[in-house]
Amino acid sequence: MVNGSEVDFGIGTEEHQVPPSETLADTLRERLGLTGTKVTCDNGACGTCTVLMDGKAVLSCMTLTVECGGRRVVTIEGLRDPLTGALDPIQQAFIDEGAFQCGFCTPGIIMSAKALLLENGAPTEEEVKEGLSGNFCRCITHYQVVRAVMAAAQGGE
Ligand code: FES
Ligand code: FES
């Protein structure tokens, strides 16, 4: 299931099938058009490809799609409220705090932050820094990012 919708691909090498070696990042971007998930290093080092799987942050460039059967995957496109269309509070907090510049790393950081807040609704600043330590931003927005996550956590109280 991706962003609340059932997705069913056969496994194989036909055009409509997912090869066993295909990553979740490629399936999301190339097959499902969910290009909000970014790929930078494609090697597990930068965090830009982070999505949620069963509520936990995973690196979609390091996850094979064949491993995702029966799992709930959420991408940045799926964070909005499906009924009202309202942004998730963590997305709104990033806007309010100006926690991005070019924005390329932002979906991955937001998904890591979402996973952190799902696990710990009132993190300390140190816990936020630790929770986002696998996400890199070349524009150096880290200070604003920490402020945004702390604001989203406080707003959820
Ligand atoms: S693109 Fe997946 S960790 Fe860098
Ligand atoms: S905002 Fe540009 S890489 Fe993070």
Side-chain angles (χ1 to χ4, degrees):
M1 184 172 280
V2 177
N3 295 340
S5 299
E6 287 292 347
V7 175
D8 193 10
F9 292 114
I11 306 300
T13 52
E14 302 290 325
E15 195 177 340
H16 60 284
Q17 294 177 318
V18 171
S21 60
E22 183 166 304
T23 65
L24 177 59
D26 282 346
T27 301
L28 291 172
R29 289 178 53 82
E30 309 299 332
R31 293 182 191 274
L32 299 177
L34 296 170
T35 53
T37 300
K38 306 301 184 199
V39 175
T40 305
C41 70
D42 210 7
N43 198 27
C46 72
T48 58
C49 65
T50 304
V51 299
L52 298 185
M53 186 179 290
D54 294 338
K56 306 278 187 207
V58 298
L59 298 173
S60 61
C61 77
M62 300 297 285
T63 303
L64 294 176
T65 301
V66 293
E67 299 172 321
C68 301
R71 316 293 291 273
R72 279 181 306 113
V73 174
V74 178
T75 69
I76 190 73
E77 292 90 344
L79 278 191
R80 274 175 183 266
D81 185 306
L83 294 179
T84 66
L87 293 178
D88 187 276
I90 187 68
Q91 293 174 299
Q92 190 60 53
F94 269 62
I95 294 171
D96 294 343
E97 298 290 339
F100 48 84
Q101 286 187 40
C102 78
F104 199 84
C105 68
T106 309
I109 295 182
I110 287 179
M111 299 316 284
S112 291
K114 183 69 183 176
L116 172 70
L117 294 178
L118 285 172
E119 195 175 305
N120 176 3
T124 64
E125 197 169 313
E126 281 313 305
E127 287 170 333
V128 171
K129 289 177 183 170
E130 175 66 27
L132 301 182
S133 61
N135 292 83
F136 294 94
C137 171
R138 65 187 293 176
C139 300
I140 319 294
T141 61
H142 299 95
Y143 296 109
Q144 293 91 330
V145 163
V146 171
R147 278 211 307 268
V149 179
M150 296 301 290
Q154 284 156 13
E157 282 176 355

